[in-house]
Amino acid sequence: MSSCTTSTATSNIFSSGDYATKVQMVEAGTSFHEVPIPPPKPLLIAMPMPLPSQSQDGEFPLLVFSHGFLLYNSFYSQLLRHVASHGFIVVAPQLYTMAGPDTNEEIKSTAQVIDWLSEGLQNLLPQHVKANLNKVGLAGHSRGGKTSFALALSKEINTTLKLSALIGVDPVDGMDKGKQTPPPVLTYVPHSFDLDMPVMVIGSGLGEVKRNPLFPPCAPKGVNHVDFFKECKEPACYFVVKDYGHLDMLDDETKGIRGKLSHCLCKNGKSREPMRKFVGGIMVAFMKAYLGGDSSSLVAIENKSETLPVELETVEFHL
């Protein structure tokens, strides 16, 4: 198990928040004194750390975040730190190291991690950082976005904790319409998602653009954010970021072969930082509204009174 801490202070949702943050990596499997009830999957946990001037008994909502296809949870550490700095505990499981087309195991694994939270998470948090298990959101990027929608929609897999919000970050349901990875999520029936929670879908303007002729686009037409949002019911909101790509919310530096591939397989913007700040900030605004009872940031964005780090090509609120 390893961890590191940073400290920041500002209130703008697109900048780091008022809390110092700690990121902790936890292995799955065998228990030991620090982890008496180990998680079913390896985890990255990003958590807020109250400063001396703040309350020492903070209780924070939770967000479970699923990574994208062939990516590592550690590739999102900057994004998840951003969210944690605004007062949320983020739990990001490593769902697989290699994966085929079927996502059923990832859906089951995500549910197992959520079920583990009530018995195992608090053992990994500092004494003065408490998890509010009554306020749990679910989010995922790319294939992880599909996994999150699939779990939220599932009638066969029930989690012990109630989910209160759902976020899809450039979700993808396969290679093309008719070539969806099992189990398919999209039905192509407008407003057909039977969800009892608010939903936010974030899309990338360059996600459906090929980087080179040898590889398909990372978020192909027919199975991407456009189609996911069409099937959402109220309350739902939708943002498509112009001039940024499918992987532009990842860390600036992603190591290893997969980290290098994240820079060359998808069409990218000029820099990841603006997209990452927007995704982190809009996630914070959405969760503040639906997990924290404070909709001021989301309303400011809806009213276009909030300065954004990116240009949006689509903004829709169905509230």
Side-chain angles (χ1 to χ4, degrees):
M1 182 168 63
S2 60
S3 63
C4 53
T5 305
T6 61
S7 179
T8 54
T10 184
S11 59
N12 184 339
I13 59 169
F14 298 112
S15 299
S16 295
D18 293 334
Y19 291 98
T21 59
K22 179 180 180 181
V23 169
Q24 186 164 288
M25 303 294 292
V26 183
E27 294 301 321
T30 306
S31 63
F32 54 98
H33 70 283
E34 289 185 67
V35 190
I37 305 175
K41 291 291 179 180
L43 303 178
L44 180 154
I45 303 174
M47 67 192 80
M49 301 291 290
L51 300 171
S53 59
Q54 296 166 328
S55 168
Q56 292 300 299
D57 296 312
E59 186 176 59
F60 304 99
L62 289 169
L63 180 69
V64 177
F65 183 90
S66 297
H67 61 81
F69 182 60
L70 295 182
L71 300 175
Y72 292 114
N73 54 4
S74 60
F75 288 178
Y76 301 84
S77 61
Q78 287 176 283
L79 173 66
L80 302 186
R81 274 189 184 279
H82 182 113
V83 174
S85 75
H86 287 271
F88 297 92
I89 298 170
V90 188
V91 177
Q94 184 64 46
L95 296 176
Y96 54 78
T97 52
M98 295 297 291
D102 194 303
T103 58
N104 278 291
E105 284 305 312
E106 291 143 66
I107 298 166
K108 293 176 183 177
S109 294
T110 305
Q112 290 170 357
V113 169
I114 293 171
D115 289 344
W116 167 86
L117 293 173
S118 58
E119 61 181 5
L121 178 61
Q122 195 58 53
N123 295 318
L124 300 175
L125 302 178
Q127 186 175 3
H128 57 279
V129 176
K130 307 294 183 183
N132 188 337
L133 298 175
N134 294 314
K135 296 181 178 181
V136 182
L138 182 62
H141 168 235
S142 190
R143 177 163 161 149
K146 171 209 171 82
T147 298
S148 298
F149 270 86
L151 177 56
L153 289 163
S154 177
K155 305 302 181 185
E156 300 176 1
I157 303 175
N158 296 312
T159 57
T160 55
L161 297 178
K162 177 178 172 57
L163 301 173
S164 301
L166 176 63
I167 302 172
V169 181
D170 224 14
V172 179
D173 192 18
M175 298 300 295
D176 199 351
K177 187 174 181 180
K179 297 180 180 179
Q180 295 163 258
T181 51
V185 171
L186 296 169
T187 65
Y188 303 98
V189 177
H191 312 301
S192 60
F193 283 160
D194 184 14
L195 295 164
D196 59 352
M197 66 191 79
V199 184
M200 178 170 68
V201 178
I202 304 166
S204 63
L206 300 180
E208 57 188 34
V209 179
K210 285 187 177 184
R211 171 109 186 194
N212 62 63
L214 297 178
F215 299 101
C218 287
K221 289 182 179 180
V223 287
N224 66 18
H225 56 90
V226 176
D227 308 281
F228 274 84
F229 183 68
K230 284 180 180 178
E231 298 195 32
C232 292
K233 298 179 182 179
E234 299 178 357
C237 51
Y238 179 42
F239 306 91
V240 181
V241 184
K242 186 179 179 181
D243 299 328
Y244 287 89
H246 184 63
L247 300 178
D248 281 338
M249 70 294 297
L250 300 185
D251 290 356
D252 288 327
E253 295 185 14
T254 47
K255 297 180 180 180
I257 294 176
R258 297 187 195 185
K260 292 179 181 178
L261 287 175
S262 76
H263 286 277
C264 61
L265 287 181
C266 302
K267 185 73 172 178
N268 301 321
K270 293 181 180 180
S271 167
R272 286 179 170 177
E273 184 180 19
M275 178 65 161
R276 189 172 58 242
K277 284 186 173 182
F278 174 77
V279 171
I282 202 66
M283 288 172 69
V284 167
F286 183 76
M287 291 188 295
K288 279 187 173 184
Y290 291 105
L291 298 182
D294 176 9
S295 60
S296 58
S297 295
L298 199 59
V299 169
I301 295 168
E302 183 180 13
N303 294 337
K304 300 181 180 180
S305 58
E306 183 79 42
T307 301
L308 307 180
V310 296
E311 182 180 352
L312 299 178
E313 63 181 49
T314 303
V315 179
E316 291 189 39
F317 284 85
H318 296 165
L319 304 177

